[in-house]
Amino acid sequence: MNTQCKLEKLHLCGCRITEEQSLILTSALKSNPSHLRNLNLSRNTLGHSGFENLSDLLMNPQFKLEKLDLWRCNITEKWCLILTSALKSNPSHLRELNLSGNKIKNTQVNRLCGILKDSHCKLERLGLSDCEMTDEGCSSVTSALKSNPSHLRELNLSGNELGDTGVKNLCDLLMNTQFKLEKLDLWRCSITEKQCLILTSALKSNPSHLRELNLSENKLGDSGVKNLSDLLMNTQFKMEKLNLWRCSITEEQCFILTSALKSNPSHLRELDLSGNELGDSGVKNLSDLLMNTQFKLEKLDLYRCRITEKQCLILTSTLKSNPSHLRELNLSGNQLGNSGVKNLSDLLMNPQCKMKKLNLCLCSITEKQCLILTSALKSNPSHLRELNLSWNQIKNTGVNHLCDVLKDSHCKLERLSLYKCGITDVSSLTQSLTNTKALQFLKELDLRNNMIGDSKQQLIDVLRDSNCTLSVD
């Protein structure tokens, strides 16, 4: 309530705020509203009085909030009515609104649509994922956006059933040349092959603005993949992030997709093909793409792609030839084999390799393979920030080798995951942490499901150190 307070950003996500506390908080904000620009109350149950006060605040013309995040706030139909009425009366400043994870349903959506249609509404980011919206609700939202399309840049409708009408309306919106959407999230929307065909056709007609597309956990089918590939080949299309996790993509479809990327490689920075079976031809095409010096991929996710040792050898050989851009690599849930681990190690030793995040969970890595990997990391340790070796039987020998990496003064590892690795003794690990600079950097250490026995006490002693900021699971 201090008038000298000029707070602009307040994040209280997951703070278990009660209705009474919410009332006190929103009352305080009402008394000094002019500076706050970013408010995050996610994962709190504000209650009726809290929402009423928040709504009074939103109606205040002095309150110029730009970002409001109410993810998973258990918003009821009545509260949503109060909230949207308030937003309607003062819509011009709000740029980001996240109502994801609330049961918005169709009746509340109609209220929200009134705001979206308002010519004073200049919303740029709208989050409505997992709101239990049906075809009718999604159709209402996309129809409303059609009447005021020019400001929106990010739209998240993930986890809702778009249906035929919702997809049709969304497509009309995407074809509008005034609509300059940059990020579209449609993860787990039960999109059919026919709907995917319509959607990708719409994107083809107005491709120049979209930078991020997430179609994960939808069945694209042959026609959807073909149309998406045509889109990727379009030189006007400058996609930077493409997420196709668990899209039931076949080897043939993967070949078509990667062939398309080969013809227009320069913009893509993040690619997620996790949970799809790439096959020999898909891996070969992806490898050709990775060798292209115009391809500057920074993040590659291939979790559970049934990559064989032979395919891993091809893939890692390719990465070795063009290593300078890659920052994150996820090969979890694949069988790398000796040759794959050896090639990956060669990549990590390359001084041009500036990998920051490496995920090798569930890769059947042995103690011997762990030695090869850690030897490589020792020769080029300064860039890596996150390493996940969980669900591999690296045992105590593997941990001892990791300690050699941690002892290196150039090592700046921040997160180390060793969940269920067959470890029984962490004494060498705790000694490495206490006797080197590693503890200055390491923030998270996951040792769950390891029977570390008596050596656990040594780890507890490290955590008691007043200079220690390490979090251990």
Side-chain angles (χ1 to χ4, degrees), residues 21-31 49-50 53-54 57:
Q21 291 166 346
S22 172
L23 178 60
I24 296 165
L25 177 68
T26 47
S27 296
L29 288 170
K30 278 167 70 177
S31 68
S49 54
N53 253 18
L54 177 61
L57 181 61

Side-chain angles (χ1 to χ4, degrees), residues 196-442:
C196 186
L197 173 61
I198 297 165
L199 185 67
T200 47
S201 297
L203 286 168
K204 279 167 68 177
S205 70
N206 185 23
S208 58
H209 301 287
L210 202 68
R211 297 294 178 267
E212 299 182 34
L213 178 61
N214 188 348
L215 290 173
S216 295
E217 288 204 271
N218 294 294
K219 287 185 169 61
L220 311 187
D222 289 337
S223 54
V225 168
K226 174 66 173 67
N227 253 18
L228 179 58
S229 299
D230 291 345
L231 178 63
L232 293 168
M233 284 192 280
N234 189 330
T235 53
Q236 284 187 291
F237 194 48
K238 298 174 182 179
M239 179 77 75
E240 294 174 5
K241 296 181 184 179
L242 178 60
N243 196 324
L244 299 173
W245 178 64
R246 285 184 65 183
C247 283
S248 302
I249 293 172
T250 63
E251 179 172 354
E252 186 181 349
Q253 291 167 354
C254 185
F255 176 76
I256 294 166
L257 272 172
T258 47
S259 297
L261 285 168
K262 279 166 69 176
S263 69
N264 185 24
S266 58
H267 302 287
L268 202 68
R269 296 295 176 266
E270 297 185 19
L271 176 62
D272 190 347
L273 291 172
S274 298
N276 298 293
E277 193 165 349
L278 309 188
D280 289 341
S281 58
V283 168
K284 173 66 173 65
N285 251 15
L286 180 59
S287 298
D288 291 346
L289 180 61
L290 291 165
M291 276 195 284
N292 188 332
T293 53
Q294 285 187 291
F295 193 49
K296 299 175 182 179
L297 197 71
E298 296 174 5
K299 183 179 178 181
L300 177 60
D301 275 292
L302 298 173
Y303 168 67
R304 284 192 182 276
C305 284
R306 296 187 183 180
I307 294 173
T308 63
E309 181 171 357
K310 182 186 173 184
Q311 291 168 356
C312 186
L313 175 61
I314 296 166
L315 192 64
T316 48
S317 297
T318 304
L319 287 168
K320 280 164 62 179
S321 68
N322 186 22
S324 59
H325 301 287
L326 201 67
R327 297 294 178 267
E328 298 184 28
L329 177 62
N330 186 354
L331 290 173
S332 296
N334 297 293
Q335 302 296 313
L336 309 189
N338 290 328
S339 55
V341 169
K342 173 67 174 66
N343 258 15
L344 180 59
S345 299
D346 291 345
L347 169 66
L348 294 169
M349 282 193 282
N350 188 329
Q352 284 188 293
C353 177
K354 297 176 183 178
M355 185 93 71
K356 290 186 175 180
K357 187 174 179 180
L358 178 60
N359 194 334
L360 299 174
C361 173
L362 268 169
C363 285
S364 302
I365 292 172
T366 64
E367 293 170 78
K368 187 178 178 181
Q369 290 169 350
C370 187
L371 170 60
I372 296 166
L373 273 172
T374 48
S375 297
L377 287 170
K378 269 173 72 179
S379 69
N380 186 23
S382 60
H383 300 288
L384 202 67
R385 297 294 179 268
E386 297 184 32
L387 177 62
N388 189 348
L389 291 172
S390 296
W391 289 89
N392 295 294
Q393 287 297 302
I394 64 168
K395 301 183 179 177
N396 297 338
T397 313
V399 169
N400 293 337
H401 294 314
L402 275 171
C403 290
D404 292 337
V405 180
L406 292 170
K407 286 174 187 174
D408 192 305
S409 59
H410 297 99
C411 177
K412 296 175 184 177
L413 199 67
E414 295 173 2
R415 291 175 181 84
L416 177 59
S417 297
L418 300 171
Y419 177 91
K420 206 169 185 177
C421 283
I423 302 164
T424 58
D425 186 356
V426 291
S427 54
S428 59
L429 182 61
T430 50
Q431 285 170 14
S432 300
L433 292 173
T434 50
N435 298 332
T436 67
K437 290 184 178 180
L439 204 56
Q440 293 178 15
F441 300 103
L442 201 64

